Amino acid sequence: MSWVVRKILRGAMIFISWFVVPYSWMKVWRIPRHKLPPMNNSLLEIPATDLAQMIRVRQVKSENVVQAYIDRCKQVNPYLNAIVQERFDEAVTEARAVDEFLASTQKSLEDIEKDTPLLGVPVTVKESIGLAGMSNQGGMRFQTPRIAHEDAPSVAQVRKCGAIFLLVSNTPELCMLWETYNLVTGQTRNPYDLRRSPGGSSGGESSLLGAGASLLGLTSDIGGSARLPAMYTGVFGHKPTPFVVSPQGHVPTSTDPRWGEFFTIAPMTRYAVDLPLLLRCMSDPQGQEIDLNTPVDVNKLNYFYMDSDGESGLIRPLTSDMQDAILRVAQHFNAQKVHMELLKWSFDVSISRLLRIKDIETIYNQMLDTEKNRKLSTEWLKYLFGCSRHTFPAVLLGYLQKFAEILPQSRHDHFERISNELKHQFLQMLGTNGVLIYPSFPTSAHQHYRIYHKILDTTYMMIFNVLGFPVTNVMVGYDKKNLPVGVQIVAAPRNDRLCLAVAKELEHAFGGWQKPPQST
């Protein structure tokens, strides 16, 4: 992309902001500036790793834990609008069965922990991931509601580990936006400021986690969908190495063999210490193997950091708060600042590869729907006249895909070569003992709908889906508006344990998740 085109795109984002910002104000001024009810149950503040052990030794009952989270969900959801469908009664019944089993079993504690490490622990799931018997529409309207007939492989693995599922949470239509609203459930809000976005597309999960209404969440990530929401709500989200977790059982999906190279089901947790546990439970037994057991000495890792994308001219510079977050983490590890010239092509590479995924389910290609596929021109006219059943991102995607199709193959080949070279440079730098500290996003959580003139800034996250590197968003403090800020920790493929170990160290150093503002 030439310098002139980059300037035009950057100018277009400024132009779009002239419409988006006033629209955002019109929408958010009606949202009351309420604070969430206080967290009064101490069970809500115990990491899952400890909670699972307490349940196993019968120090606490699973029923009491599950009920505590159900009560918290009922408390905060009227403020957040994060829940699509709950299964609270079934969860309580399952928790009682766990307590009865533990009271009568002759099985050793070691065997219980080995076979069911999450026994009796509550978990929530992004609605786009199949949970048997629950809504599985991906925020999309259907003439007949779509219900998951079976668990997604990742859900089945977590259920096998003894977890108890509470609900499915909100997502934008077909997960096609870094903000969470749709025409079925509506808009989900940020627990730290109800007038701000919890991010997307896993905003329902991040909102519940940040509010203390969930402990472990199953989310998904194809362009930062597990990392931006985690950053916006002060929790931890990890994009695993491709194929560590099965990408199947999700809406949307794709028949493209390369789908799993870019897309993955991803863990999101309130406490960094719980990420390895949840990832281990989610992992596909037939998938890519990674080592999560070998201890990591964070003092012996090689640390690098960057505070820009290589000066592409497309992505806005970091705010002073985000810049400070990067520098504080870099100083904590005495990291070396590096520069990669090829990163200025991140947006071009990301868009070229992601928009060319074949047979992905959209409103124009509904592989799992009985309705007829829609036409671009017809759907756009319906949207302009307020007659469409779909949101703007879902309508626009078809045009973006057409744009990628009309680009000369030589341009795509050029971006493919840049992608391969960039991956090679990262591998050379990181090796098997290095991590990169990199921005998650230029700002903390913005007001609702303002992602539209910040779309280019998501390149900070998308590039690692394209390259296939594991990445963890780590909570490292608050900005001047008392909103959470975070950074990405990147490692080479199959070195997820390095990201997770650094996340745990930073949680200890900077405090990790803190309760959002609460009413007195």
Side-chain angles (χ1 to χ4, degrees), residues 135-165:
S135 175
N136 186 214
Q137 300 183 176
M140 187 172 171
R141 284 180 173 178
F142 288 95
Q143 291 181 349
T144 301
R146 181 192 290 183
I147 304 298
H149 298 297
E150 60 183 6
D151 289 339
S154 54
V155 171
Q157 286 298 117
V158 174
R159 193 190 294 275
K160 184 179 177 181
C161 289
I164 295 174
F165 292 99

PDB file of all heavy atoms in Angstrom, residues 135-165:
ATOM      1  N   SER A 135     -28.682 -21.572  23.140  1.00  0.00           N
ATOM      2  CA  SER A 135     -28.641 -20.723  21.952  1.00  0.00           C
ATOM      3  C   SER A 135     -27.255 -20.741  21.321  1.00  0.00           C
ATOM      4  O   SER A 135     -26.246 -20.653  22.017  1.00  0.00           O
ATOM      5  CB  SER A 135     -29.027 -19.295  22.336  1.00  0.00           C
ATOM      6  OG  SER A 135     -28.890 -18.422  21.235  1.00  0.00           O
ATOM      7  N   ASN A 136     -27.221 -20.824  19.985  1.00  0.00           N
ATOM      8  CA  ASN A 136     -25.941 -20.876  19.269  1.00  0.00           C
ATOM      9  C   ASN A 136     -26.088 -20.136  17.934  1.00  0.00           C
ATOM     10  O   ASN A 136     -25.813 -20.669  16.886  1.00  0.00           O
ATOM     11  CB  ASN A 136     -25.535 -22.330  19.049  1.00  0.00           C
ATOM     12  CG  ASN A 136     -24.161 -22.509  18.453  1.00  0.00           C
ATOM     13  OD1 ASN A 136     -23.925 -23.421  17.679  1.00  0.00           O
ATOM     14  ND2 ASN A 136     -23.222 -21.642  18.812  1.00  0.00           N
ATOM     15  N   GLN A 137     -26.516 -18.872  18.014  1.00  0.00           N
ATOM     16  CA  GLN A 137     -26.822 -18.090  16.826  1.00  0.00           C
ATOM     17  C   GLN A 137     -25.725 -17.086  16.482  1.00  0.00           C
ATOM     18  O   GLN A 137     -25.788 -16.454  15.425  1.00  0.00           O
ATOM     19  CB  GLN A 137     -28.149 -17.345  17.018  1.00  0.00           C
ATOM     20  CG  GLN A 137     -29.315 -18.283  17.269  1.00  0.00           C
ATOM     21  CD  GLN A 137     -30.654 -17.570  17.391  1.00  0.00           C
ATOM     22  OE1 GLN A 137     -31.676 -18.211  17.515  1.00  0.00           O
ATOM     23  NE2 GLN A 137     -30.658 -16.260  17.365  1.00  0.00           N
ATOM     24  N   GLY A 138     -24.765 -16.911  17.338  1.00  0.00           N
ATOM     25  CA  GLY A 138     -23.741 -15.916  17.088  1.00  0.00           C
ATOM     26  C   GLY A 138     -24.313 -14.520  16.942  1.00  0.00           C
ATOM     27  O   GLY A 138     -23.843 -13.734  16.122  1.00  0.00           O
ATOM     28  N   GLY A 139     -25.334 -14.193  17.738  1.00  0.00           N
ATOM     29  CA  GLY A 139     -25.918 -12.862  17.704  1.00  0.00           C
ATOM     30  C   GLY A 139     -26.740 -12.563  16.476  1.00  0.00           C
ATOM     31  O   GLY A 139     -27.089 -11.413  16.210  1.00  0.00           O
ATOM     32  N   MET A 140     -27.093 -13.584  15.710  1.00  0.00           N
ATOM     33  CA  MET A 140     -27.788 -13.391  14.440  1.00  0.00           C
ATOM     34  C   MET A 140     -29.260 -13.795  14.564  1.00  0.00           C
ATOM     35  O   MET A 140     -29.616 -14.711  15.300  1.00  0.00           O
ATOM     36  CB  MET A 140     -27.109 -14.248  13.364  1.00  0.00           C
ATOM     37  CG  MET A 140     -27.622 -14.034  11.972  1.00  0.00           C
ATOM     38  SD  MET A 140     -26.576 -14.947  10.790  1.00  0.00           S
ATOM     39  CE  MET A 140     -27.521 -14.749   9.293  1.00  0.00           C
ATOM     40  N   ARG A 141     -30.110 -13.080  13.842  1.00  0.00           N
ATOM     41  CA  ARG A 141     -31.534 -13.410  13.825  1.00  0.00           C
ATOM     42  C   ARG A 141     -31.799 -14.597  12.906  1.00  0.00           C
ATOM     43  O   ARG A 141     -31.285 -14.655  11.793  1.00  0.00           O
ATOM     44  CB  ARG A 141     -32.354 -12.216  13.318  1.00  0.00           C
ATOM     45  CG  ARG A 141     -32.527 -11.100  14.323  1.00  0.00           C
ATOM     46  CD  ARG A 141     -33.350  -9.990  13.690  1.00  0.00           C
ATOM     47  NE  ARG A 141     -33.704  -8.955  14.637  1.00  0.00           N
ATOM     48  CZ  ARG A 141     -34.392  -7.863  14.318  1.00  0.00           C
ATOM     49  NH1 ARG A 141     -34.785  -7.676  13.074  1.00  0.00           N
ATOM     50  NH2 ARG A 141     -34.676  -6.957  15.223  1.00  0.00           N
ATOM     51  N   PHE A 142     -32.630 -15.501  13.385  1.00  0.00           N
ATOM     52  CA  PHE A 142     -33.071 -16.626  12.567  1.00  0.00           C
ATOM     53  C   PHE A 142     -34.580 -16.755  12.688  1.00  0.00           C
ATOM     54  O   PHE A 142     -35.156 -16.436  13.737  1.00  0.00           O
ATOM     55  CB  PHE A 142     -32.419 -17.935  13.027  1.00  0.00           C
ATOM     56  CG  PHE A 142     -30.955 -18.052  12.687  1.00  0.00           C
ATOM     57  CD1 PHE A 142     -29.984 -17.687  13.608  1.00  0.00           C
ATOM     58  CD2 PHE A 142     -30.554 -18.516  11.451  1.00  0.00           C
ATOM     59  CE1 PHE A 142     -28.644 -17.791  13.300  1.00  0.00           C
ATOM     60  CE2 PHE A 142     -29.209 -18.617  11.128  1.00  0.00           C
ATOM     61  CZ  PHE A 142     -28.251 -18.258  12.055  1.00  0.00           C
ATOM     62  N   GLN A 143     -35.232 -17.222  11.629  1.00  0.00           N
ATOM     63  CA  GLN A 143     -36.670 -17.441  11.697  1.00  0.00           C
ATOM     64  C   GLN A 143     -36.997 -18.502  12.734  1.00  0.00           C
ATOM     65  O   GLN A 143     -37.975 -18.394  13.470  1.00  0.00           O
ATOM     66  CB  GLN A 143     -37.191 -17.855  10.314  1.00  0.00           C
ATOM     67  CG  GLN A 143     -37.133 -16.735   9.283  1.00  0.00           C
ATOM     68  CD  GLN A 143     -37.664 -17.163   7.931  1.00  0.00           C
ATOM     69  OE1 GLN A 143     -37.904 -18.348   7.679  1.00  0.00           O
ATOM     70  NE2 GLN A 143     -37.842 -16.198   7.035  1.00  0.00           N
ATOM     71  N   THR A 144     -36.143 -19.520  12.793  1.00  0.00           N
ATOM     72  CA  THR A 144     -36.243 -20.536  13.840  1.00  0.00           C
ATOM     73  C   THR A 144     -34.965 -20.474  14.657  1.00  0.00           C
ATOM     74  O   THR A 144     -33.885 -20.633  14.102  1.00  0.00           O
ATOM     75  CB  THR A 144     -36.390 -21.952  13.233  1.00  0.00           C
ATOM     76  OG1 THR A 144     -37.561 -21.984  12.408  1.00  0.00           O
ATOM     77  CG2 THR A 144     -36.509 -22.987  14.348  1.00  0.00           C
ATOM     78  N   PRO A 145     -35.052 -20.213  15.964  1.00  0.00           N
ATOM     79  CA  PRO A 145     -33.845 -20.072  16.783  1.00  0.00           C
ATOM     80  C   PRO A 145     -32.906 -21.263  16.626  1.00  0.00           C
ATOM     81  O   PRO A 145     -33.336 -22.415  16.576  1.00  0.00           O
ATOM     82  CB  PRO A 145     -34.397 -19.981  18.208  1.00  0.00           C
ATOM     83  CG  PRO A 145     -35.774 -19.428  18.033  1.00  0.00           C
ATOM     84  CD  PRO A 145     -36.283 -20.001  16.757  1.00  0.00           C
ATOM     85  N   ARG A 146     -31.645 -20.977  16.503  1.00  0.00           N
ATOM     86  CA  ARG A 146     -30.632 -22.027  16.350  1.00  0.00           C
ATOM     87  C   ARG A 146     -30.146 -22.461  17.729  1.00  0.00           C
ATOM     88  O   ARG A 146     -29.650 -21.648  18.507  1.00  0.00           O
ATOM     89  CB  ARG A 146     -29.458 -21.524  15.515  1.00  0.00           C
ATOM     90  CG  ARG A 146     -28.377 -22.593  15.309  1.00  0.00           C
ATOM     91  CD  ARG A 146     -27.104 -22.005  14.729  1.00  0.00           C
ATOM     92  NE  ARG A 146     -27.259 -21.582  13.354  1.00  0.00           N
ATOM     93  CZ  ARG A 146     -26.264 -21.091  12.623  1.00  0.00           C
ATOM     94  NH1 ARG A 146     -25.058 -20.958  13.136  1.00  0.00           N
ATOM     95  NH2 ARG A 146     -26.469 -20.715  11.377  1.00  0.00           N
ATOM     96  N   ILE A 147     -30.290 -23.724  18.009  1.00  0.00           N
ATOM     97  CA  ILE A 147     -29.876 -24.314  19.285  1.00  0.00           C
ATOM     98  C   ILE A 147     -28.749 -25.310  19.015  1.00  0.00           C
ATOM     99  O   ILE A 147     -28.809 -26.079  18.051  1.00  0.00           O
ATOM    100  CB  ILE A 147     -31.048 -25.032  19.986  1.00  0.00           C
ATOM    101  CG1 ILE A 147     -32.219 -24.062  20.188  1.00  0.00           C
ATOM    102  CG2 ILE A 147     -30.600 -25.625  21.317  1.00  0.00           C
ATOM    103  CD1 ILE A 147     -31.909 -22.882  21.079  1.00  0.00           C
ATOM    104  N   ALA A 148     -27.741 -25.301  19.855  1.00  0.00           N
ATOM    105  CA  ALA A 148     -26.647 -26.265  19.701  1.00  0.00           C
ATOM    106  C   ALA A 148     -27.142 -27.656  20.098  1.00  0.00           C
ATOM    107  O   ALA A 148     -27.658 -27.852  21.200  1.00  0.00           O
ATOM    108  CB  ALA A 148     -25.469 -25.864  20.584  1.00  0.00           C
ATOM    109  N   HIS A 149     -26.981 -28.608  19.189  1.00  0.00           N
ATOM    110  CA  HIS A 149     -27.424 -29.974  19.465  1.00  0.00           C
ATOM    111  C   HIS A 149     -26.371 -30.784  20.208  1.00  0.00           C
ATOM    112  O   HIS A 149     -26.669 -31.835  20.779  1.00  0.00           O
ATOM    113  CB  HIS A 149     -27.800 -30.670  18.155  1.00  0.00           C
ATOM    114  CG  HIS A 149     -28.942 -30.006  17.437  1.00  0.00           C
ATOM    115  ND1 HIS A 149     -30.205 -29.924  17.977  1.00  0.00           N
ATOM    116  CD2 HIS A 149     -29.002 -29.370  16.231  1.00  0.00           C
ATOM    117  CE1 HIS A 149     -31.010 -29.289  17.138  1.00  0.00           C
ATOM    118  NE2 HIS A 149     -30.297 -28.939  16.068  1.00  0.00           N
ATOM    119  N   GLU A 150     -25.143 -30.291  20.196  1.00  0.00           N
ATOM    120  CA  GLU A 150     -24.068 -30.961  20.911  1.00  0.00           C
ATOM    121  C   GLU A 150     -23.018 -29.944  21.332  1.00  0.00           C
ATOM    122  O   GLU A 150     -22.982 -28.820  20.834  1.00  0.00           O
ATOM    123  CB  GLU A 150     -23.425 -32.039  20.030  1.00  0.00           C
ATOM    124  CG  GLU A 150     -22.814 -31.498  18.744  1.00  0.00           C
ATOM    125  CD  GLU A 150     -22.245 -32.608  17.867  1.00  0.00           C
ATOM    126  OE1 GLU A 150     -22.429 -33.782  18.200  1.00  0.00           O
ATOM    127  OE2 GLU A 150     -21.600 -32.270  16.855  1.00  0.00           O
ATOM    128  N   ASP A 151     -22.180 -30.348  22.248  1.00  0.00           N
ATOM    129  CA  ASP A 151     -21.106 -29.475  22.700  1.00  0.00           C
ATOM    130  C   ASP A 151     -20.044 -29.329  21.621  1.00  0.00           C
ATOM    131  O   ASP A 151     -19.714 -30.299  20.921  1.00  0.00           O
ATOM    132  CB  ASP A 151     -20.437 -30.051  23.951  1.00  0.00           C
ATOM    133  CG  ASP A 151     -21.317 -29.976  25.188  1.00  0.00           C
ATOM    134  OD1 ASP A 151     -22.247 -29.158  25.205  1.00  0.00           O
ATOM    135  OD2 ASP A 151     -21.061 -30.750  26.136  1.00  0.00           O
ATOM    136  N   ALA A 152     -19.510 -28.120  21.493  1.00  0.00           N
ATOM    137  CA  ALA A 152     -18.293 -27.949  20.699  1.00  0.00           C
ATOM    138  C   ALA A 152     -17.191 -28.781  21.337  1.00  0.00           C
ATOM    139  O   ALA A 152     -17.222 -29.050  22.548  1.00  0.00           O
ATOM    140  CB  ALA A 152     -17.894 -26.481  20.665  1.00  0.00           C
ATOM    141  N   PRO A 153     -16.192 -29.257  20.555  1.00  0.00           N
ATOM    142  CA  PRO A 153     -15.126 -30.071  21.140  1.00  0.00           C
ATOM    143  C   PRO A 153     -14.456 -29.422  22.351  1.00  0.00           C
ATOM    144  O   PRO A 153     -14.153 -30.109  23.332  1.00  0.00           O
ATOM    145  CB  PRO A 153     -14.146 -30.239  19.970  1.00  0.00           C
ATOM    146  CG  PRO A 153     -14.999 -30.157  18.753  1.00  0.00           C
ATOM    147  CD  PRO A 153     -16.053 -29.136  19.081  1.00  0.00           C
ATOM    148  N   SER A 154     -14.238 -28.121  22.312  1.00  0.00           N
ATOM    149  CA  SER A 154     -13.608 -27.441  23.451  1.00  0.00           C
ATOM    150  C   SER A 154     -14.506 -27.476  24.673  1.00  0.00           C
ATOM    151  O   SER A 154     -14.034 -27.672  25.812  1.00  0.00           O
ATOM    152  CB  SER A 154     -13.283 -25.986  23.082  1.00  0.00           C
ATOM    153  OG  SER A 154     -14.436 -25.317  22.611  1.00  0.00           O
ATOM    154  N   VAL A 155     -15.802 -27.295  24.473  1.00  0.00           N
ATOM    155  CA  VAL A 155     -16.753 -27.367  25.579  1.00  0.00           C
ATOM    156  C   VAL A 155     -16.805 -28.776  26.146  1.00  0.00           C
ATOM    157  O   VAL A 155     -16.814 -28.974  27.373  1.00  0.00           O
ATOM    158  CB  VAL A 155     -18.156 -26.928  25.114  1.00  0.00           C
ATOM    159  CG1 VAL A 155     -19.202 -27.210  26.184  1.00  0.00           C
ATOM    160  CG2 VAL A 155     -18.153 -25.452  24.746  1.00  0.00           C
ATOM    161  N   ALA A 156     -16.812 -29.767  25.257  1.00  0.00           N
ATOM    162  CA  ALA A 156     -16.839 -31.166  25.708  1.00  0.00           C
ATOM    163  C   ALA A 156     -15.621 -31.490  26.561  1.00  0.00           C
ATOM    164  O   ALA A 156     -15.719 -32.217  27.564  1.00  0.00           O
ATOM    165  CB  ALA A 156     -16.909 -32.097  24.496  1.00  0.00           C
ATOM    166  N   GLN A 157     -14.455 -30.950  26.173  1.00  0.00           N
ATOM    167  CA  GLN A 157     -13.236 -31.197  26.944  1.00  0.00           C
ATOM    168  C   GLN A 157     -13.323 -30.576  28.335  1.00  0.00           C
ATOM    169  O   GLN A 157     -12.936 -31.202  29.335  1.00  0.00           O
ATOM    170  CB  GLN A 157     -12.023 -30.622  26.207  1.00  0.00           C
ATOM    171  CG  GLN A 157     -11.595 -31.426  24.987  1.00  0.00           C
ATOM    172  CD  GLN A 157     -11.175 -32.838  25.351  1.00  0.00           C
ATOM    173  OE1 GLN A 157     -11.782 -33.818  24.925  1.00  0.00           O
ATOM    174  NE2 GLN A 157     -10.137 -32.951  26.165  1.00  0.00           N
ATOM    175  N   VAL A 158     -13.841 -29.364  28.416  1.00  0.00           N
ATOM    176  CA  VAL A 158     -13.967 -28.691  29.709  1.00  0.00           C
ATOM    177  C   VAL A 158     -15.020 -29.372  30.571  1.00  0.00           C
ATOM    178  O   VAL A 158     -14.856 -29.520  31.786  1.00  0.00           O
ATOM    179  CB  VAL A 158     -14.296 -27.191  29.499  1.00  0.00           C
ATOM    180  CG1 VAL A 158     -14.575 -26.502  30.823  1.00  0.00           C
ATOM    181  CG2 VAL A 158     -13.143 -26.497  28.783  1.00  0.00           C
ATOM    182  N   ARG A 159     -16.115 -29.817  29.943  1.00  0.00           N
ATOM    183  CA  ARG A 159     -17.133 -30.561  30.695  1.00  0.00           C
ATOM    184  C   ARG A 159     -16.547 -31.866  31.235  1.00  0.00           C
ATOM    185  O   ARG A 159     -16.825 -32.263  32.374  1.00  0.00           O
ATOM    186  CB  ARG A 159     -18.340 -30.846  29.796  1.00  0.00           C
ATOM    187  CG  ARG A 159     -19.561 -31.340  30.573  1.00  0.00           C
ATOM    188  CD  ARG A 159     -20.637 -31.847  29.628  1.00  0.00           C
ATOM    189  NE  ARG A 159     -21.222 -30.827  28.795  1.00  0.00           N
ATOM    190  CZ  ARG A 159     -22.233 -30.037  29.170  1.00  0.00           C
ATOM    191  NH1 ARG A 159     -22.720 -30.131  30.398  1.00  0.00           N
ATOM    192  NH2 ARG A 159     -22.734 -29.153  28.337  1.00  0.00           N
ATOM    193  N   LYS A 160     -15.731 -32.523  30.424  1.00  0.00           N
ATOM    194  CA  LYS A 160     -15.080 -33.765  30.852  1.00  0.00           C
ATOM    195  C   LYS A 160     -14.188 -33.530  32.068  1.00  0.00           C
ATOM    196  O   LYS A 160     -13.998 -34.429  32.891  1.00  0.00           O
ATOM    197  CB  LYS A 160     -14.249 -34.328  29.693  1.00  0.00           C
ATOM    198  CG  LYS A 160     -13.584 -35.662  29.959  1.00  0.00           C
ATOM    199  CD  LYS A 160     -12.810 -36.130  28.731  1.00  0.00           C
ATOM    200  CE  LYS A 160     -12.082 -37.443  29.003  1.00  0.00           C
ATOM    201  NZ  LYS A 160     -11.298 -37.879  27.805  1.00  0.00           N
ATOM    202  N   CYS A 161     -13.666 -32.325  32.187  1.00  0.00           N
ATOM    203  CA  CYS A 161     -12.803 -31.973  33.323  1.00  0.00           C
ATOM    204  C   CYS A 161     -13.598 -31.585  34.560  1.00  0.00           C
ATOM    205  O   CYS A 161     -13.012 -31.165  35.567  1.00  0.00           O
ATOM    206  CB  CYS A 161     -11.861 -30.842  32.934  1.00  0.00           C
ATOM    207  SG  CYS A 161     -10.570 -31.348  31.777  1.00  0.00           S
ATOM    208  N   GLY A 162     -14.923 -31.711  34.496  1.00  0.00           N
ATOM    209  CA  GLY A 162     -15.752 -31.523  35.673  1.00  0.00           C
ATOM    210  C   GLY A 162     -16.390 -30.164  35.836  1.00  0.00           C
ATOM    211  O   GLY A 162     -17.077 -29.918  36.833  1.00  0.00           O
ATOM    212  N   ALA A 163     -16.192 -29.251  34.886  1.00  0.00           N
ATOM    213  CA  ALA A 163     -16.738 -27.904  35.014  1.00  0.00           C
ATOM    214  C   ALA A 163     -18.255 -27.899  34.905  1.00  0.00           C
ATOM    215  O   ALA A 163     -18.866 -28.802  34.310  1.00  0.00           O
ATOM    216  CB  ALA A 163     -16.139 -26.995  33.940  1.00  0.00           C
ATOM    217  N   ILE A 164     -18.853 -26.876  35.481  1.00  0.00           N
ATOM    218  CA  ILE A 164     -20.308 -26.704  35.446  1.00  0.00           C
ATOM    219  C   ILE A 164     -20.611 -25.424  34.673  1.00  0.00           C
ATOM    220  O   ILE A 164     -20.164 -24.336  35.056  1.00  0.00           O
ATOM    221  CB  ILE A 164     -20.884 -26.630  36.869  1.00  0.00           C
ATOM    222  CG1 ILE A 164     -20.671 -27.967  37.582  1.00  0.00           C
ATOM    223  CG2 ILE A 164     -22.364 -26.262  36.834  1.00  0.00           C
ATOM    224  CD1 ILE A 164     -21.080 -27.969  39.033  1.00  0.00           C
ATOM    225  N   PHE A 165     -21.364 -25.541  33.583  1.00  0.00           N
ATOM    226  CA  PHE A 165     -21.642 -24.404  32.716  1.00  0.00           C
ATOM    227  C   PHE A 165     -22.876 -23.648  33.203  1.00  0.00           C
ATOM    228  O   PHE A 165     -23.914 -24.253  33.468  1.00  0.00           O
ATOM    229  CB  PHE A 165     -21.826 -24.873  31.283  1.00  0.00           C
ATOM    230  CG  PHE A 165     -20.554 -25.408  30.676  1.00  0.00           C
ATOM    231  CD1 PHE A 165     -20.311 -26.770  30.617  1.00  0.00           C
ATOM    232  CD2 PHE A 165     -19.588 -24.543  30.205  1.00  0.00           C
ATOM    233  CE1 PHE A 165     -19.140 -27.261  30.080  1.00  0.00           C
ATOM    234  CE2 PHE A 165     -18.402 -25.020  29.667  1.00  0.00           C
ATOM    235  CZ  PHE A 165     -18.179 -26.389  29.609  1.00  0.00           C
TER     236      PHE A 165
END
